[in-house]
């Protein structure tokens, strides 16, 4: 695999594009279920924890030697034997996350456009494209992210702007002191989405990259504001109870919009645009997974990337074959596994490296 590195701007563009896939899958409905009408405030309540986690990753990156990437830093911090186990675990999670993202993208098409379709054609076709991208230069994915991000943000902004006139304030206010604890509970889905973006970014950042934390903090805050605006629009239109009951409330919102008095049913176009978010998320997850697995298994990255992409595509065909199993994966298994690795294992590695005086 060619080790052409991402620039900081490319990595942030990719991170924003990644966010749009899990955010529309996990955040609105789950936050509405936990927080009720306060769901639109939950991402803002998650920001302090997300900023703290971002600062921790920044401090971890600052410990890298010149020319050292994140994987090499973990090997130095933990030692050869422990680092193999940790990198193997993280690499397998990234492959599983790539497979689940393939399955989730297929499910979006099925629930919004093709209700009688099977997920296998979607997962295999997207998996093949992601495999080709992951085996190529990483900077190509970065350029793709910079091109796609404005299109997705303009589309999202246009839809949210069109939906604002139908927001009902009684669905959002008043907020009372008893809403504080549910709002904090509703912050967990937003924190999960933001932490996942930061965690994946860590393993794709350029070696020995030094920068101030302030621009990263602004970037994290903007992502949190975007989630908050999304929650405000959805809960304001549907109410918390209906938002929590819908599998993909954003695309139901799009389905109900009428543009220019006669242009209806634009959800097919919007769903098609979100394929780019799936594509970049899957490709970058495969890339990060291979970067972790190659040193853990003593295998060359180029050969391993093909095997990992094939394994992810095949696994995606068997994930979530029933509605109940897919819901369990989407709402519990994937978020819990991701948050455990991002918020527990990685800080533990940092502390272990400090204790061993290796970083």
């Amino acid at each position: 695999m060619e080790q052409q590195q991402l620039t900081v701007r490319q990595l942030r563009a990719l991170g924003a594009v990644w966010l749009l896939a899990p955010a529309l899958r996990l955040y609105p409905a789950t936050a509405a279920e936990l927080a009720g009408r306060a769901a639109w405030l939950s991402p803002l309540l998650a920001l302090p924890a997300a900023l703290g986690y971002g600062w921790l990753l920044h401090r971890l990156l600052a410990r890298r030697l010149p020319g050292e990437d994140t994987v090499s830093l973990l090997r130095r911090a933990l030692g050869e034997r422990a680092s193999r186990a940790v990198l193997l675990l993280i690499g397998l999670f990234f492959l599983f996350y790539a497979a689940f993202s393939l399955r989730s993208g297929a499910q979006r098409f099925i629930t919004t456009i093709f209700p009688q379709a099977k997920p296998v054609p979607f997962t295999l076709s997207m998996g093949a494209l992601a495999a080709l991208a992951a085996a190529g230069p990483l900077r190509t994915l970065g350029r793709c992210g910079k091109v796609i991000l404005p299109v997705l943000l303009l589309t999202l902004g246009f839809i949210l702007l069109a939906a604002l006139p139908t927001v009902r304030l009684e669905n959002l206010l008043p907020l009372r002191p008893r809403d504080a604890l549910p709002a904090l509970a509703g912050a967990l889905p937003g924190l999960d989405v933001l932490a996942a973006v930061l965690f994946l970014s860590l393993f794709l950042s350029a070696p020995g990259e030094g920068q101030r934390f302030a621009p990263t903090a602004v970037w994290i805050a903007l992502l949190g504001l975007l989630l908050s605006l999304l929650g405000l629009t959805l809960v304001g239109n549907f109410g918390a109870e209906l938002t929590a009951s819908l599998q993909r409330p954003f695309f139901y919102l799009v389905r109900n919009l009428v543009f220019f008095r006669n242009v209806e049913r634009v959800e097919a176009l919007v769903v098609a645009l979100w394929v780019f978010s799936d594509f970049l998320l899957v490709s970058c997850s495969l890339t990060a997974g291979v970067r972790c697995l190659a040193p853990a298994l003593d295998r060359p990255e180029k050969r391993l990337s093909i095997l990992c992409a094939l394994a992810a595509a095949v696994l995606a065909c068997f994930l979530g074959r029933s509605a109940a199993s897919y819901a369990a994966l989407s709402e519990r298994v994937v978020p819990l596994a991701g948050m455990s690795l991002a918020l527990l294992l990685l800080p533990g590695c940092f502390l272990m490296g400090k204790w061993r005086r290796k970083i």
Side-chain angles (χ1 to χ4, degrees):
M1 183 180 298
E2 192 172 335
Q3 291 292 326
Q4 195 177 9
Q5 301 300 330
L6 296 169
T7 67
V8 174
R9 290 185 178 181
Q10 287 174 338
L11 186 57
R12 288 177 184 157
L14 282 172
V17 174
W18 301 332
L19 177 90
L20 295 177
L24 298 186
R25 170 184 60 82
L26 178 68
Y27 159 66
T30 308
E33 182 181 359
L34 293 172
R37 68 175 61 191
W40 62 280
L41 279 179
S42 294
L44 303 182
L45 297 177
L47 274 180
L51 289 169
Y53 182 63
W55 179 83
L56 176 66
L57 297 189
H58 174 76
R59 295 299 303 161
L60 183 61
L61 290 177
R63 302 285 178 169
R64 294 187 301 184
L65 301 175
E68 189 176 49
D69 62 9
T70 303
V71 170
S72 300
L73 174 65
L74 289 177
R75 297 177 71 180
R76 178 163 59 91
L78 301 176
E80 193 62 29
R81 183 174 298 179
S83 66
R84 280 180 181 270
V86 168
L87 290 174
L88 182 63
L89 181 61
I90 295 174
L92 290 176
F93 169 76
F94 279 135
L95 293 191
F96 173 74
Y97 193 66
F100 175 75
S101 298
L102 287 172
R103 180 65 181 87
S104 177
Q107 187 69 16
R108 187 189 308 121
F109 271 103
I110 293 171
T111 56
T112 55
I113 303 178
F114 306 110
Q116 303 302 320
K118 300 296 182 182
V120 173
F122 297 105
T123 56
L124 291 181
S125 58
M126 178 61 72
L129 292 174
L132 292 174
L138 182 57
R139 189 161 289 185
T140 301
L141 292 175
R143 295 191 186 103
C144 184
K146 290 188 69 174
V147 171
I148 294 302
L149 178 61
V151 178
L152 291 178
L153 288 182
L154 283 173
T155 303
L156 180 61
F158 183 68
I159 291 169
L160 296 181
L161 187 63
L164 281 179
T166 56
V167 167
R168 301 172 61 184
L169 288 180
E170 58 266 29
N171 290 335
L172 304 171
L173 299 171
L175 295 177
R176 300 179 175 87
R178 66 171 180 265
D179 296 319
L181 286 180
L184 285 173
L188 288 176
L191 177 60
D192 176 67
V193 171
L194 293 171
V197 170
L198 293 171
F199 186 58
L200 181 53
S201 300
L202 179 71
F203 289 90
L204 297 178
S205 58
E209 186 179 275
Q211 57 175 313
R212 297 182 299 115
F213 178 63
T216 302
V218 172
W219 175 64
I220 296 171
L222 289 175
L223 295 181
L225 288 173
L226 179 63
L227 291 177
S228 180
L229 180 59
L230 179 65
L232 184 148
T233 307
L234 291 171
V235 175
N237 272 273
F238 294 138
E241 186 175 350
L242 180 56
T243 301
S245 67
L246 295 174
Q247 189 175 15
R248 298 185 184 273
F250 175 75
F251 295 101
Y252 280 97
L253 176 68
V254 176
R255 179 176 296 176
N256 292 330
L257 292 177
V258 177
F259 298 98
F260 309 118
R261 298 186 179 181
N262 57 2
V263 181
E264 302 183 31
R265 304 303 299 270
V266 298
E267 71 271 16
L269 174 61
V270 176
V271 171
L273 280 176
W274 252 253
V275 168
F276 292 105
S277 182
D278 295 328
F279 166 71
L280 290 174
L281 179 59
V282 173
S283 302
C284 292
S285 296
L286 287 174
T287 301
V290 170
R291 283 190 170 186
C292 294
L293 290 175
L297 301 176
D298 287 327
R299 294 292 186 271
E301 290 190 13
K302 187 171 183 179
R303 181 180 302 175
L304 195 59
S305 65
I306 299 173
L307 296 176
C308 289
L310 178 62
V314 171
L315 177 60
C317 296
F318 294 94
L319 288 177
R321 303 186 74 172
S322 67
S325 62
Y326 176 80
L329 281 171
S330 178
E331 298 170 11
R332 293 187 291 276
V333 176
V334 174
L336 182 60
M339 292 188 75
S340 297
L341 290 178
L343 302 181
L344 296 177
L345 179 64
L346 199 61
C349 293
F350 181 76
L351 293 176
M352 179 62 71
K354 293 279 289 182
W355 180 74
R356 296 180 70 241
R357 297 183 180 179
K358 297 296 183 178
I359 61 174

